[in-house]
Structure formats: C-alpha cells, structure tokens
Amino acid sequence: MDDTMALSPEHRAGLDRALKAIAEAEAGPTGADLINAPVIDHWRPLRSGSHTIALWGNVSGHPLLGRDTATTSPLLAINVQAGWARTKSRWYALGRPFAALGAELAESMGVNGPAADFIKFALPGYLPLEKPDQLPELLANYIAWVREFDATDRAATGREG
C-alpha cells in the first residue's frame, strides 16, 4: 500500500473489523463464544494468495449458511486441542479434521499405508496447506500484514492507532 493513499470508508471499516477479530482471537474465546459458534466438521486449512488461510469443511449452525459445505473468511487463530478457530467474521467450534475422514475411508477400503492424501480435491483459488506445522507461522504473518496495512493507512490519514 502506498503511504500517500488512504483506504475508502468501506475498506477502513473492513480493516477495523479484522483488527477487532484479531484482538478477540488473541484473547481466546469465552464459553458463550463457543456455545453459539457454528461447527465446522471435516475441516481443512487452505491457502489463498500469499497471505490468507481459510478453513473449508462441512458447517452446521452457521447464522447465514445454516448447514452447508463452506470456505470461511480469513483464519486468524486456531487451537485444535481446545477445539476452536477464529476467522475474521466469527468463532467456529472444530469437529473432526479432514485427514480423519480420509484415514477412515482408506481403512474401510482396506488401503494400507499412509492415508494422508487418500482423498484429493481441488477448490478454485485455493491450495491445500500441505504442511500443517506451518499454520502458526502463516497466521502470524497474516496478522502482521493486517497490522502493517492498518499502520500505513493511519499514517496516510494522520489518524492515531
């Protein structure tokens, strides 16, 4: 982003929502956040572009989608052990990961050996995250990018952070 160019009011509002969601992700969910959260089952992290990670999976209890297969807004934080994820737009309770579905299907079909890539699929505009251990670094990089974008816009408009 150019230091002399400010965001439109709509883009600024979107950036402010992202910053609020980042703060919520860093604080972690409350019990109420997770009780009211949609569940994403058979989820898989996907990469879109150089900065964004999203979750794809079977969503239930979503306020707009109800029950459907969906790709989330940008992922900000995930804690698999605690069973939650935070995206730019909302909290999610995590169901089973996609890899578990693939392993179960491979086992039911008598496939021996590693079943991590037993089920392959393509989603236009996204690539599967092949190395899940990269997820924390990628999410930290995305958050840093959002904050840098915010700082650049604030400098261009003379607003304080």
Side-chain angles (χ1 to χ4, degrees):
M1 181 174 173
D2 185 325
D3 285 344
T4 61
M5 193 167 108
L7 293 174
S8 70
E10 296 81 20
H11 286 114
R12 182 69 236 179
L15 183 56
D16 288 341
R17 284 191 302 275
L19 291 165
K20 181 177 184 272
I22 288 168
E24 291 172 358
E26 290 172 341
T30 65
D33 290 330
L34 296 181
I35 287 172
N36 297 318
V39 175
I40 186 164
D41 200 23
H42 303 127
W43 55 271
R44 184 172 193 178
L46 302 174
R47 190 171 189 161
S48 175
S50 61
H51 297 286
T52 307
I53 302 292
L55 293 179
W56 172 89
N58 298 321
V59 176
S60 59
H62 193 284
L64 302 174
L65 302 174
R67 183 178 189 88
D68 204 352
T69 301
T71 305
T72 68
S73 61
L75 182 64
L76 302 173
I78 188 168
N79 186 324
V80 176
Q81 291 75 25
W84 59 262
R86 175 64 178 159
T87 67
K88 181 180 171 187
S89 59
R90 69 189 77 260
W91 293 100
Y92 284 89
L94 296 175
R96 296 182 314 156
F98 185 78
L101 175 66
E104 288 173 17
L105 185 58
E107 183 180 335
S108 74
M109 297 177 75
V111 174
N112 295 323
D117 290 332
F118 186 72
I119 301 174
K120 294 188 182 276
F121 73 93
L123 191 61
Y126 295 92
L127 295 172
L129 188 61
E130 299 300 334
K131 297 179 182 176
D133 59 324
Q134 291 179 323
L135 195 53
E137 179 183 353
L138 293 169
L139 294 176
N141 289 344
Y142 176 73
I143 289 170
W145 178 76
V146 169
R147 287 183 169 143
E148 182 180 323
F149 205 81
D150 173 55
T152 302
D153 180 62
R154 289 183 185 281
T157 60
R159 295 193 316 171
E160 295 194 19

